[in-house]
Amino acid sequence: MSELLAWFSARTAREQFLLKAAAFIILGGGALLASYQGASSYRTSSAAELASALQMRDDLAKLKSLEGIAPAAPVPSNDGSVRGIVVAASGQYGLVPARIEPDGPTGVRTAFEPANAQNVFQWIDTVERAGLVVSRIALVRAGEGDVVQAEATVASR
């Protein structure tokens, strides 16, 4: 550091002024650029979060409007096992299981082929009315409109 100070002191007053001005411009410009990038990033992420929240609000309003339309269907006849209830209820709503795997001693993990989201919600309602618990559900949009691909973990209470 002392060598740098000695070199700087050896410069004329005009050169020292120009070096200080250059350092000020570079550091000030860097600070302005960093603050602009931060604000731009914040604005972009905020816009994405707002769009997501508005979509969720619209989806919830749509679900509330559909809430009273479909009466609760009775639990279909089954063998009483978790797997049996899951398969029977999925057949009732036209859901095609892509895979069904055991998940612990009293549960199953299932994935469905792409289907209407309303059918998936009705399936969840039927399975839970049959005395099971849907502990995890993942819905991913799989096409136009309300078509989703669903995966769920279901266990007995």
Side-chain angles (χ1 to χ4, degrees):
M1 185 73 173
S2 62
E3 291 178 13
L4 182 63
L5 289 175
W7 175 83
F8 186 74
S9 297
R11 304 290 120 211
T12 63
R14 183 171 184 241
E15 289 174 335
Q16 288 180 1
F17 174 75
L18 289 174
L19 288 171
K20 287 178 185 177
F24 178 76
I25 290 171
I26 290 171
L27 291 176
L32 288 174
L33 180 63
S35 64
Y36 173 76
Q37 286 178 336
S40 176
S41 169
Y42 177 75
R43 189 180 80 227
T44 302
S45 67
S46 296
E49 289 176 8
L50 177 62
S52 175
L54 291 174
Q55 180 66 41
M56 188 178 297
R57 182 194 65 189
D58 294 343
D59 289 346
L60 286 173
K62 185 175 182 182
L63 286 175
K64 284 187 178 186
S65 70
L66 295 174
E67 188 175 58
I69 293 175
V75 177
S77 61
N78 57 70
D79 63 2
S81 69
V82 174
R83 182 184 184 97
I85 295 171
V86 166
V87 170
S90 64
Q92 183 177 7
Y93 295 107
L95 300 175
V96 179
R99 73 172 192 277
I100 298 177
E101 306 169 344
D103 186 50
T106 63
V108 295
R109 195 174 4 192
T110 184
F112 296 108
E113 296 293 327
N116 188 307
Q118 184 65 27
N119 294 350
V120 175
F121 296 135
Q122 289 174 333
W123 173 82
I124 293 169
D125 181 52
T126 301
V127 165
E128 289 192 340
R129 279 188 294 106
L132 303 179
V133 175
V134 178
S135 60
R136 187 187 73 77
I137 184 84
L139 299 174
V140 178
R141 192 176 300 267
E144 294 298 318
D146 291 339
V147 177
V148 295
Q149 187 170 359
E151 292 183 18
T153 302
V154 182
S156 59
R157 291 190 191 265

